[in-house]
Amino acid sequence: QVQLQQWGAGLLKPSETLSLTCAVHGGSFSGYYWSWIRQPPGKGLEWIGEINHVGSTNQNPSLKSRVSVLVDTSKNQVSLKLSSVTAADTAVYFCARMADYVSGRHYFDSWGQGTLVTVSS
Amino acid sequence: AIQLTQSPSSLSASVGDRVTITCRASQAISTALAWYQQKPGKPPKLLIYDASSLESGVPSRFSGSGSETDFTLTISSLQPEDSAAYYCQHFNSYPLTFGGGTQVEIK
């Protein structure tokens, strides 16, 4: 049973860079794409971007200029960096496993616990 | 980007009621749609994929239907533990997007 454990700084000032990491325990790491999704308090979900074990990425155009999604296959970890944050980036950030990229099953069958990131001066 | 519009945004129903949530896509997406349930402080949980396929371990009172632009999630007999927010998500193309959510409350 795969488990996704995530962590990172929870309080940032405007213009700083958000940095989160998600460690994958159990199951296959290389056989999947790993996504980041965020949810502002009391609001809906927004897909940010994804990466696989060889570093192939897809990103949401709305955030692409500020987003970097990275992979460390030696540790079975993926990371998210979001630069120049503002209050609008305040959200719970989730990492999630895509069910099956090759077959087109681009939905999410396992999720991390979520990390609240607050941007405030 | 494909937009997903869910309705209603919230509903209140009694235990045992049949509940239906709709999700409308801004363009045809075949059956590339998933449904999630989210309880407070928790990540979303996959319920339905490919518009109508039930994820393993999900109670059979949950069902999905639809294709192209119009989709529904049905709870055949609402239970107290079904109080949650429900979201649809398309996976027809990038960027992946979610509907705005439907909050289900128990009367």
Side-chain angles (χ1 to χ4, degrees):
Chain A
Q1 183 76 0
V2 65
Q3 291 188 342
L4 283 65
Q5 179 185 14
Q6 52 181 110
W7 66 90
L11 181 61
L12 298 174
K13 297 185 186 303
S15 81
E16 292 184 335
T17 295
L18 177 157
S19 182
L20 298 174
T21 301
C22 174
V24 178
H25 302 286
S28 169
F29 180 77
S30 61
Y32 295 91
Y33 268 73
W34 305 92
S35 276
W36 289 96
I37 296 158
R38 70 180 182 179
Q39 184 172 37
K43 297 188 177 181
L45 299 156
E46 180 181 32
W47 176 75
I48 299 170
E50 66 187 8
I51 193 166
N52 71 356
H53 69 289
V54 295
S56 296
T57 61
N58 292 296
Q59 294 165 349
N60 193 325
S62 67
L63 297 167
K64 188 173 183 177
S65 63
R66 298 194 291 132
V67 166
S68 293
V69 183
L70 307 170
V71 64
D72 184 340
T73 54
S74 68
K75 297 180 180 179
N76 283 6
Q77 293 178 356
V78 295
S79 298
L80 171 69
K81 294 189 184 300
L82 180 66
S83 64
S84 305
V85 297
T86 70
D89 295 311
T90 293
V92 175
Y93 287 75
F94 297 99
C95 59
R97 186 181 76 172
M98 181 173 284
D100 190 337
Y101 182 87
V102 173
S103 69
R105 294 185 165 184
H106 301 174
Y107 50 86
F108 309 104
D109 61 0
S110 294
W111 295 68
Q113 80 275 19
T115 301
L116 175 61
V117 177
T118 301
V119 180
S120 175
S121 56
Chain B
I2 295 172
Q3 296 180 17
L4 298 178
T5 303
Q6 284 185 237
S7 61
S9 58
S10 65
L11 67 89
S12 181
S14 299
V15 172
D17 283 354
R18 182 181 183 89
V19 169
T20 299
I21 299 168
T22 66
C23 178
R24 176 162 289 176
S26 60
Q27 63 190 72
I29 59 170
S30 185
T31 56
L33 191 94
W35 289 97
Y36 301 87
Q37 175 193 66
Q38 187 180 31
K39 296 185 178 180
K42 298 294 186 182
K45 173 188 174 183
L46 178 66
L47 298 176
I48 301 284
Y49 60 92
D50 293 344
S52 61
S53 295
L54 192 68
E55 173 72 346
S56 176
V58 174
S60 59
R61 63 180 180 274
F62 291 93
S63 64
S65 64
S67 65
E68 304 302 349
T69 60
D70 293 300
F71 301 87
T72 60
L73 173 70
T74 299
I75 309 172
S76 61
S77 178
L78 190 67
Q79 299 301 303
E81 60 267 31
D82 300 335
S83 178
Y86 293 83
Y87 294 92
C88 56
Q89 176 233 326
H90 87 83
F91 49 97
N92 180 74
S93 59
Y94 285 96
L96 309 176
T97 59
F98 294 83
T102 297
Q103 183 67 45
V104 174
E105 296 183 346
I106 309 296
K107 283 183 182 176

